[in-house]
Amino acid sequence: MPSTMSRRGFLAAGGALAAASALSGCSALAAADDDPDTLVVHSQLGTTAPGSPTYLSALDRFREETGLKVRNLVNGDDLAQVYETSRLARKEPDVVMVNLYDKTLAWTEVGAAVDVKGYLDDWGLRERVLPVALDAWTDSKGRLRAFPYFATNWPVAYNRALLDRAGVGEIPATGDQLVAAARKLRRKGLAPVTVGGNDWTGQKLLAQIIQTFLTEDEARHVYATGDFGGRGARQGIDYFVELRDAGVFADKAQGLTSDSMTTQFNTQAAAMQSAMSSALAKVPEPVARHTDVGGWPLAPGAAHDKPTILRTYTLIGFWVSPNGTKKIDAVEKFLRFMYRPDTVSRFIKEAGRDMALRSDTVSSDFPLVAAAQRLGGEVGQVLLPDLFVPPAATQPLITATSTSFTRGTSAAQVRSVLEAAYRGV
């Protein structure tokens, strides 16, 4: 596990976060001034985030059933920063819905959120959670950081119609087949693999490709320490550079984002994308009809015997804040409601979300999400590095990703910028 922030480090961060509160965190800072009978929830759900309509509808039903008042605070990618600002002022919301990544890795250690293991057991909710999700949310000291909720599959989407148009008969399963397919697609004026090389989507795909020659334990070491000098990591970097320089990725991938990647695939300007469940749910029905999902192609000598995907059970959890413990009866009612099978089923059916909870419901209206759920043993799985990358290295790794996707950057240079992201950690 990555080293966590010291309490002194968390408090020192307050100076840097204070300015952000003036711009985007005022509502969070006012949370503690609410009626003590109002449950304050801080979430990314409430605007355009996948699942927002279902979530807002669920809140209305919860209010109606319980008579409790709920205030929903909404932030985007800056949610963790805004929450930390409010916590430093002791005005934080009661419940926070956010993933386990970057800043949040330190929250339980520094007291920004509480260990919820006892609550999970006391409220009889443990059996609702998939064991693999409980493992992912439990830290090295046995503390359960949050109540697991959203999960995601992260396969590769292949537009069969575009592949057929380019004369690619089969979905690529090897690096050589992928390079050959890329050449044919380019001759038809189509981008092969679109990727957000300038944000987290590119970082995840780069990490996936680097792990081609790494076991899970080796990958955990690489991403926890920043040591990319081992044989397997160097082979993986070489493989990535080989694919990049052969034209596998969309032009100027180093400047693309997750939004531009999604647009290219959904408008059929690109034939392939590495897409998590929320992106698969947005693929238009005419495109989804001729799209298959599978794994990333392998190279000879790979540590895996099947093309790989990413999976994670830490996409969104319900964190309980110190303020939340003062309203624990309301928090219990809220968590019980959100864990109810009928509530969980709505997120699966209406929003195409993968869940970290047990459910027999399938995403029937989201065929690509359902197809990814069924992949099972057809694909291998590599490590999602989020739980192991030290928080201080997270953003520098995204910068290093953009450099890595830039044509002409040598394998040695890629390794150098990746390792440089860990300096000062």
Side-chain angles (χ1 to χ4, degrees):
M1 298 293 293
S3 59
T4 51
M5 259 176 112
S6 67
R7 185 175 298 274
R8 178 178 297 176
F10 180 76
L11 294 174
L17 297 175
S21 70
L23 297 174
S24 57
C26 295
S27 59
L29 287 173
D33 297 330
D34 277 9
D35 182 331
D37 296 326
T38 297
L39 184 69
V40 184
V41 182
H42 197 180
S43 170
Q44 291 178 321
L45 301 180
T47 53
T48 60
S52 291
T54 298
Y55 173 67
L56 294 176
S57 175
L59 283 187
D60 287 340
R61 184 174 178 183
F62 174 74
R63 295 182 183 106
E64 181 181 347
E65 288 186 8
T66 64
L68 292 173
K69 292 179 286 187
V70 181
R71 181 181 175 194
N72 187 43
L73 305 178
V74 184
N75 280 98
D77 292 341
D78 61 343
L79 183 149
Q81 177 174 301
V82 173
Y83 174 76
E84 289 183 3
T85 303
S86 63
R87 173 57 195 154
L88 288 163
R90 299 299 188 264
K91 294 178 179 292
E92 79 275 5
D94 305 310
V95 177
V96 188
M97 295 174 63
V98 71
N99 59 334
L100 184 58
Y101 174 62
D102 195 8
K103 293 176 179 292
T104 68
L105 289 166
W107 281 2
T108 308
E109 178 72 21
V110 302
V114 302
D115 176 5
V116 301
K117 181 179 179 181
Y119 296 131
L120 183 82
D121 291 329
D122 290 346
W123 300 342
L125 297 177
R126 178 174 289 273
E127 292 306 312
R128 295 283 298 121
V129 188
L130 296 172
V132 66
L134 285 174
D135 289 344
W137 281 95
T138 300
D139 71 13
S140 60
K141 296 181 180 179
R143 296 172 298 204
L144 183 61
R145 294 174 167 112
F147 289 84
Y149 207 59
F150 285 174
T152 190
N153 283 310
W154 207 321
V156 181
Y158 296 93
N159 186 318
R160 296 190 317 275
L162 296 186
L163 293 174
D164 289 344
R165 187 193 308 175
V168 179
E170 297 181 355
I171 290 176
T174 69
D176 288 343
Q177 291 173 356
L178 181 58
V179 169
R183 290 172 179 161
K184 292 180 179 180
L185 286 161
R186 286 185 173 278
R187 285 197 288 269
K188 293 293 184 179
L190 298 167
V193 178
T194 181
V195 59
N198 197 33
D199 68 9
W200 52 274
T201 53
Q203 185 218 348
K204 300 301 185 294
L205 181 56
L206 174 59
Q208 183 176 357
I209 296 171
I210 289 176
Q211 289 183 66
T212 300
F213 299 94
L214 296 173
T215 65
E216 182 176 319
D217 287 343
E218 290 169 339
R220 186 179 294 110
H221 169 79
V222 167
Y223 282 98
T225 65
D227 176 12
F228 291 84
R231 179 180 178 186
R234 286 187 284 108
Q235 286 180 300
I237 292 172
D238 287 342
Y239 181 43
F240 166 79
V241 170
E242 176 186 341
L243 296 177
R244 184 201 66 200
D245 290 349
V248 162
F249 305 111
D251 291 342
K252 299 181 180 179
Q254 71 272 18
L256 300 181
T257 65
S258 59
D259 288 341
S260 49
M261 174 190 79
T262 301
T263 298
Q264 283 192 343
F265 187 83
N266 290 355
T267 59
Q268 302 196 84
M272 297 168 270
Q273 70 167 343
S274 171
M276 63 192 305
S277 300
S278 56
L280 294 175
K282 294 180 179 179
V283 176
E285 193 274 335
V287 180
R289 273 203 309 267
H290 49 251
T291 296
D292 286 342
V293 295
W296 184 262
L298 297 178
H304 311 273
D305 57 4
K306 298 174 184 176
T308 63
I309 69 167
L310 294 162
R311 285 193 182 101
T312 181
Y313 297 88
T314 57
L315 195 61
I316 280 185
F318 295 99
W319 306 68
V320 178
S321 75
N323 273 343
T325 62
K326 302 171 187 176
K327 304 177 186 177
I328 201 63
D329 289 343
V331 172
E332 178 181 356
K333 290 177 182 177
F334 179 68
L335 265 297
R336 285 185 180 278
F337 176 84
M338 295 303 291
Y339 265 43
R340 269 180 12 193
D342 61 316
T343 305
V344 172
S345 292
R346 289 191 63 187
F347 280 103
I348 297 171
K349 291 190 295 186
E350 298 174 13
R353 301 304 310 229
D354 284 312
M355 306 299 292
L357 306 182
R358 300 179 191 274
S359 178
D360 294 328
T361 305
V362 295
S363 303
S364 55
D365 291 337
F366 301 89
L368 298 184
V369 176
Q373 292 167 346
R374 293 192 299 266
L375 281 173
E378 297 177 29
V379 293
Q381 183 175 334
V382 296
L383 188 76
L384 184 78
D386 291 5
L387 300 184
F388 309 101
V389 174
T394 299
Q395 290 306 312
L397 274 178
I398 291 177
T399 301
T401 296
S402 180
T403 301
S404 300
F405 273 98
T406 302
R407 293 284 292 271
T409 305
S410 69
Q413 290 171 319
V414 170
R415 175 188 165 192
S416 178
V417 296
L418 291 172
E419 293 183 338
Y422 285 76
R423 289 176 188 159
V425 171

